[in-house]
């Protein structure tokens, strides 16, 4: 006679763990150990079907309600649960959990014999059994299917037996039979236990069997079946249920990969070296494991090792090639580990999971297109030259009112919304500059990438004196176009540039390139802005430390009046522009969550208010931009409109002699006028676009670049080109603070 009992079951896909192998009486009492278990399994072309019978005997004198907790192997799905009590079999129905629980409780109240299965964890099921009759056998029968993947040319079937609980390691009778069938020839079949008998039944079939009586089960049972084929092989297995519905599994067995076909791996090993690792030889075991890993890398692999205790120390900022020289240094690095300190696990994991740098391409190029996934580009379309005449709404500004004002800053990078439209937004802000602007930026980036050194930096026209500022300006241009250390077509170039800048920082003082002579504080301010914006997007703890030290150095370098001085002999305009760069770095750092004192920001803005005047040669663009980003509004501060009028009045002069305006002031005036919007921006946008597009070089080797400009050019070609690119990115680099739509 068969009776069906409700079995609550949901989410059949679970992960494996140790087998429980005991019945635990509900309400307390001694566990009932499994008397015997019999396993019958078939592994056929990557699909395993397993049926298990567990037999228990209640040694007490009264019936019990008991709990049996069991795992399933990785990727398995439960297909059958049954119970046998007093020679009577009860089949389980897979039912929705709440309904099954109600039925089970009702049957228990009527003193009948149900069984309930529930998933109690990600990888564990619990079977409630009633009654467990005294001195009689109670049998629990389970069946499941699982996919066994082909890994390195072999199928590996695991039946979980091992457990760390002494109460569950009772002696029992055990029999396991695993039939192995494969559409391709079996080259080897092996088992984890020495007393397993393996019998070959031809080139495509084998049997592994284990039988013990009164044995102690303490480790998992594993059968490994290696296969080999010269050509890809397809095997299909089908199943149809009683309802008529079914499924199939198709397994393709590829030939074993040749060494030249193996995909290179990036391996990062994270090792705990905190004080707790000093116990029981843990640190030595970890070091031995690291040594084993280093010994088994392939030449094409890359590797890095991080150790963490109270702090985090990495062998290198990113994985390095597995050369003999690097491996020797890595072994020495690991050998020096000592167990001490606390556990900074969170920082270690964040650093380890950062996107590693791509292998550095030859000077100036992107990474090999065969190694880096490229996005497809649809080319059959027409781009309209969108401007204020063809699409007025694209550049129109909103009224200056409190409701439209939002505290948004960010010059060299940003996300849709707060930091602009380079990662998305409500409309195609990139198109606002027109097709001419987009092409100019493409040409600019191609030229700039050709100038980047393999170590990540850009030369300041052949002189190493101000390579920091050239590199920083190039990175700001890349960040402004949506490239970060995590995404973008020039991600690899950004990663290499940021790594080089970090290498230039004095980690004691936080200064970056400050020993380069006159103007070096400007170099530091630009690098600080890069770090602040890179941290905003990545939240990398490595970049955070560099950014915070850089900002702290910047604050400590202020002039007593509240601003920043460009040095002896510098003009007021030089001081104003340096102060503007410093404020942009501090604004961006504060927006990203770095520690920035509000009093420092307020003091610098007050200094700008008192030190600048409405003169075209006193950096009106720098003054206007900083005032807007600090929260001043034209409808409340008339001086803003006065400065914008001064800039606008100079536009006609600039239009006739554009080279006379230096790149910094080009950037500040363009950014400030974009923030002002309205008639100021419309007029300036016409001048700016026409002038910069006409001045961009079109000849072969220099295509995409701009020559140094200004009355006394002090910026190299790379720095000038990057700054002009920042001007052309103004449409989407950062949101309007005033009246943004």
């Amino acid at each position: 006679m068969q009776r069906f009992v409700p079995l609550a079951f949901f989410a059949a896909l679970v992960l494996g763990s140790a087998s429980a192998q005991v019945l635990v009486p509900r309400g307390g009492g001694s566990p009932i150990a499994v008397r015997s278990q019999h396993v019958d399994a078939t592994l056929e072309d990557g699909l395993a079907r397993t049926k298990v019978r567990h037999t228990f005997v209640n040694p007490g004198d009264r019936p019990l309600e008991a709990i049996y907790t069991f795992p399933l192997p990785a990727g398995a799905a439960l297909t059958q649960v049954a119970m046998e009590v007093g020679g009577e079999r009860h089949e389980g129905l897979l039912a929705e959990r709440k309904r099954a629980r109600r039925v089970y409780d009702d049957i228990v109240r009527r003193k009948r014999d149900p069984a309930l299965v529930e998933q109690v964890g990600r990888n564990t099921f619990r079977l409630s059994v009633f009654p467990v009759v005294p001195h009689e056998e109670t049998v629990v029968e389970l069946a499941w299917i699982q996919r066994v993947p082909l890994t390195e040319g072999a199928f590996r079937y695991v039946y979980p037996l091992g457990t760390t609980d002494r109460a569950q390691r009772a002696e029992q009778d055990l029999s396991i039979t695993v039939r192995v069938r494969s559409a391709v020839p079996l080259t080897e079949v092996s088992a984890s236990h020495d007393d397993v008998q393996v019998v070959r039944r031809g080139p495509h079939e084998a049997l592994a069997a284990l039988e013990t009586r009164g044995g102690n089960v303490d480790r998992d049972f594993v059968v490994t079946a290696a296969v080999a084929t010269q050509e890809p092989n397809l095997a299909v297995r089908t199943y149809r249920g009683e309802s008529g519905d079914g499924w199939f599994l198709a397994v393709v067995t590829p030939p074993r990969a040749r060494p030249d076909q193996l995909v290179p791996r990036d391996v990062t090993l994270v090792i705990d070296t905190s004080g707790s690792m000093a116990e029981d030889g843990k640190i030595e075991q970890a070091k031995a494991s690291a040594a084993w890993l280093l010994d088994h890398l392939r030449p094409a692999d890359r590797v890095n090792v991080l150790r963490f205790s109270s702090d985090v120390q990495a062998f290198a900022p990113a994985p390095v090639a597995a050369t003999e020289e690097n491996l020797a240094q890595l072994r020495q690095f690991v050998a020096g580990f000592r167990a001490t300190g606390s556990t900074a696990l969170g920082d270690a994991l964040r650093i380890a999971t950062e996107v590693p740098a791509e292998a550095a391409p030859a000077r100036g190029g992107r990474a090999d297109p065969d190694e880096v996934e490229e996005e497809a580009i649809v080319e059959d379309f027409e781009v309209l030259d969108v401007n204020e005449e063809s699409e007025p709404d694209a550049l129109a500004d909103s009224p200056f009112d409190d409701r439209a004002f939002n505290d948004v800053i960010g010059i060299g990078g940003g996300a849709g919304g707060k930091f602009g439209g380079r990662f998305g937004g409500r409309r195609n802000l990139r198109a606002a500059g027109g097709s001419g602007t987009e092409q100019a930026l493409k040409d600019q980036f191609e030229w700039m990438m050709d100038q980047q050194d393999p170590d990540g930096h850009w030369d300041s026209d052949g002189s190493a004196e101000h390579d920091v500022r050239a590199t920083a300006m190039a990175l700001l241009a890349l960040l402004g176009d949506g490239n970060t250390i995590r995404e973008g077509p020039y991600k690899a170039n950004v990663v290499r540039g940021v790594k080089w800048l970090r290498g230039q920082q004095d980690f004691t003082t936080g200064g970056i390139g400050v020993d380069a002579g006159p103007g070096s504080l400007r170099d530091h301010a630009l690098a600080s802005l890069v770090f602040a914006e890179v941290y905003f997007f990545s939240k990398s703890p490595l970049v955070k430390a560099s950014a915070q030290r850089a900002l702290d150095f910047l604050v400590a370098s202020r002039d007593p009046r509240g601003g920043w001085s460009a040095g002896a002999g510098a003009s007021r305009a030089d001081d104003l522009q340096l102060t503007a760069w410093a404020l942009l770095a501090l604004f961006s750092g504060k927006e990203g969550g770095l520690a920035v004192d509000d009093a420092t920001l307020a003091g610098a803005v007050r200094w700008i208010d008192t030190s600048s005047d409405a003169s075209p040669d006193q950096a009106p663009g720098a003054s206007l931009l900083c005032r807007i980003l600090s929260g001043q509004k034209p409808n409340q501060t008339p001086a803003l409109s006065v400065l914008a009028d001064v800039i606008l009045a100079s536009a006609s002069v600039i239009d006739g002699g554009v080279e006379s305006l230096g790149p910094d002031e080009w950037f500040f005036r363009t950014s400030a006028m974009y923030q002002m919007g309205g008639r100021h921006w419309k007029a300036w946008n016409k001048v700016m676009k026409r002038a910069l597009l006409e001045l961009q070089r079109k000849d072969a080797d220099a295509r995409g670049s701009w020559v140094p400009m200004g009355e006394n050019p002090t910026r190299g070609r790379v720095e000038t080109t990057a700054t002009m690119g920042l001007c052309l990115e103004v449409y989407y680099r950062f949101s309007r603070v005033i009246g943004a739509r």
Side-chain angles (χ1 to χ4, degrees), residues 321-345:
T323 63
E324 287 300 326
E325 180 181 1
N326 286 339
L327 292 175
Q329 294 178 7
L330 279 159
R331 293 185 184 98
Q332 186 176 5
F333 177 65
V334 171
F337 290 171
R338 299 292 181 268
T340 182
S342 57
T343 308
L345 176 60

Side-chain angles (χ1 to χ4, degrees), residues 45-338:
D45 289 319
L47 183 68
R49 294 182 175 87
T50 304
K51 180 175 289 189
V52 183
R53 287 176 58 86
H54 289 153
T55 302
F56 305 88
V57 176
N58 176 6
D61 296 324
R62 61 184 179 86
L64 298 173
E65 181 184 3
I67 302 297
Y68 178 57
T69 303
F70 63 92
L72 294 186
L78 189 66
T79 59
Q80 181 185 30
V81 177
M83 185 177 68
E84 294 181 7
V85 178
E88 197 171 344
R89 183 178 179 85
H90 309 276
E91 292 283 353
L93 289 176
L94 303 185
E96 187 272 333
R97 183 182 186 181
K98 291 183 179 179
R99 172 177 171 269
R101 168 59 72 176
R102 289 195 301 267
V103 175
Y104 174 85
D105 290 341
D106 179 68
I107 294 175
V108 170
R109 284 192 297 270
R110 290 186 282 116
K111 296 184 180 181
R112 295 178 60 191
D113 42 358
L116 173 71
V117 176
E118 299 172 284
Q119 186 177 1
V120 294
R122 183 184 178 191
N123 60 346
T124 306
F125 284 82
R126 181 175 62 200
L127 173 65
S128 299
V129 180
F130 178 84
V132 182
V133 180
H135 309 296
E136 291 190 22
E137 289 188 347
T138 297
V139 177
V140 176
E141 189 173 286
L142 310 172
W144 63 82
I145 59 173
Q146 68 188 97
R147 187 179 65 86
V148 180
L150 180 68
T151 304
E152 295 186 353
F155 297 104
R156 188 171 183 268
Y157 172 85
V158 179
Y159 178 73
L161 286 172
T163 176
T164 58
D165 190 338
R166 292 182 179 180
Q168 297 176 12
R169 291 205 298 264
E171 293 185 351
Q172 60 179 266
D173 295 342
L174 171 67
S175 67
I176 302 178
T177 301
V178 179
R179 297 170 183 82
V180 180
R181 301 190 184 102
S182 173
V184 299
L186 296 166
T187 59
E188 182 181 5
V189 178
S190 60
S192 56
H193 291 60
D194 294 335
D195 48 355
V196 174
Q197 183 181 13
V198 177
V199 179
R200 296 293 297 269
R201 295 180 172 176
H204 299 272
E205 187 173 351
L207 184 143
L210 169 69
E211 186 170 346
T212 63
R213 294 190 176 278
N216 192 294
V217 178
D218 60 0
R219 58 194 175 104
D220 294 345
F221 180 84
V222 181
V223 173
T224 303
V227 297
T229 178
Q230 299 299 319
E231 300 293 337
N233 181 273
L234 173 65
V236 178
R237 296 291 175 262
T238 61
Y239 173 81
R240 186 179 300 278
E242 294 180 359
S243 65
D245 295 330
W247 49 263
F248 70 90
L249 174 71
V251 178
V252 178
T253 304
R256 195 171 184 85
R258 302 188 308 271
D260 63 307
Q261 295 176 317
L262 297 176
V263 177
R265 299 169 296 187
D266 276 353
V267 181
T268 299
L269 182 62
V270 181
I271 299 179
D272 181 1
T273 60
S274 62
S276 62
M277 292 293 287
E279 303 172 1
D280 303 323
K282 295 177 183 176
I283 188 66
E284 297 306 322
Q285 184 177 0
K287 289 160 66 173
S289 299
W292 184 93
L293 182 144
L294 295 174
D295 290 340
H296 288 79
L297 291 171
R298 301 189 298 252
D301 296 336
R302 296 190 299 182
V303 62
N304 200 6
V305 177
L306 280 73
R307 67 131 200 96
F308 67 93
S309 54
S310 301
D311 63 347
V312 181
Q313 182 184 12
F315 173 78
V320 298
T323 63
E324 287 300 326
E325 180 181 1
N326 286 339
L327 292 175
Q329 294 178 7
L330 279 159
R331 293 185 184 98
Q332 186 176 5
F333 177 65
V334 171
F337 290 171
R338 299 292 181 268

